Amino acid sequence: MVDSPDTDWAGVRLHVVTGKGGTGKTTVAAALALALAAGGRKVLLVEVEGRQGIAQIFDLPPLPYEERKIAVAPSGGDVYALAVDPEEAMLEYMEMFYGMRRAGRALTKMGVVDFATTVAPGFRDVLVTGKTTEAVRRRGKNGRRIYDAVVLDAPPTGRITRFLNVTQEVAGLAKVGPIKNHSELVNGVVKSPETAVHFVTLLEEMPVQETLDGISELRSAGLPAGGIFVNMVRESLIPQAALDTAVKGRFDPGELVLGLKAAGVADGAEATRIAEALAEEISEHARRTELERAERESLGEAGLKSYELPLLADGVDLAGLYELAESMRTQGAA
């Protein structure tokens, strides 16, 4: 991997991105892939939930089950994408270990594949994580890794430990044989220093608590925690002194009235009405800022490095992804 000297994850090849629904997990994963690819690197962005989230965020048609280039990163790097299909992964698996691709297609028509992954959902996770870790390990004819990094847009925080802990999940499914060997190979990558599991959150109570719980579960399972991406952070345009006064309930609308009159915006009763409305907005903003400060402190207790990504006023489009990627690079996340 072509490392940048100020990168926090210089030795990491597999970046697993998880987060509570609604926190922008897929957006952060896509931006991270762009950030990691900057400067001439080649990065694979993988999704496993069948939502075609990558295609939507890059404004592309639905992605097939193949690795294809979807974006050029800053300074010439390339981002490839793969939407993992468990059924196709199952066929590859049968071809690789049993030479039974035709038989696999027949089983697919019979619904046996769906039946197997429903009865043993851990096996489905082995298939999709197996495809991802294979991309991490894959080498070209010159002996070098095909991808400098792989970014996995993983399931939500509440399921991430079970999803990654594949050896435990298939323990009751296979004691010996290819399935067990394959799961151990996957586990070897997932639990290695080459992997980091990153959490995406907002500065709100529920996402922060779920993030802290997810980090605790991950550590208990011996899985490698990475960093915390605090998404959609709103910059305060009000001086801290005014916020402190508003939080304490001592903000005087009279000062706003004088300012409105001096600026010629309003006068008399109209100035008072506008000033009172503005004072309420400032107080609400101050309360929210105080709550966000408390959530930051809670996240700090996890002992992981945090990266703050701005709220994009115009929403997330391709230009917004590049903006988020640049913010990550500036903060040393890539």
Side-chain angles (χ1 to χ4, degrees), residues 73-106:
S75 305
D78 293 326
V79 175
Y80 285 70
L82 172 66
V84 177
D85 180 277
E87 184 176 289
E88 289 294 331
M90 175 74 146
L91 294 176
E92 279 191 2
Y93 177 88
M94 295 189 73
E95 169 79 19
M96 186 182 304
F97 293 106
Y98 298 103
M100 295 174 60
R101 191 173 185 85
R102 288 186 179 179
R105 291 204 177 279

Side-chain angles (χ1 to χ4, degrees), residues 17 24-36 45 53-54 57-58 70 79 151 153 321-322 324-325 328:
V17 181
K25 170 176 66 71
T26 299
T27 297
V28 171
L32 181 59
L34 281 170
L36 290 167
L45 175 60
I54 293 174
I57 203 165
F58 281 95
I70 62 168
V79 175
V151 178
D153 180 18
L321 282 182
Y322 280 90
L324 293 177
M328 290 177 179

Side-chain angles (χ1 to χ4, degrees), residues 104-187:
R105 291 204 177 279
L107 292 173
T108 297
K109 292 180 180 179
M110 295 169 58
V112 174
V113 173
D114 286 338
F115 175 77
T117 54
T118 299
V119 172
F123 185 44
R124 178 182 290 265
D125 291 346
V126 169
L127 293 173
V128 295
T129 54
K131 181 64 178 176
T132 304
T133 55
E134 182 277 327
V136 175
R137 301 190 315 270
R138 193 188 312 155
R139 296 180 184 272
K141 293 181 180 179
N142 59 3
R144 298 182 60 183
R145 302 284 182 101
I146 296 294
Y147 293 106
D148 294 300
V150 175
V151 178
L152 172 59
D153 180 18
T157 311
R159 202 167 79 80
I160 189 62
T161 298
R162 183 173 181 178
F163 173 76
L164 292 174
N165 203 14
V166 292
T167 301
Q168 181 65 33
E169 287 300 300
V170 302
L173 182 65
K175 303 295 184 183
V176 295
I179 294 177
K180 182 177 186 298
N181 294 338
H182 183 57
S183 68
E184 289 180 346
L185 189 62
V186 172
N187 192 61

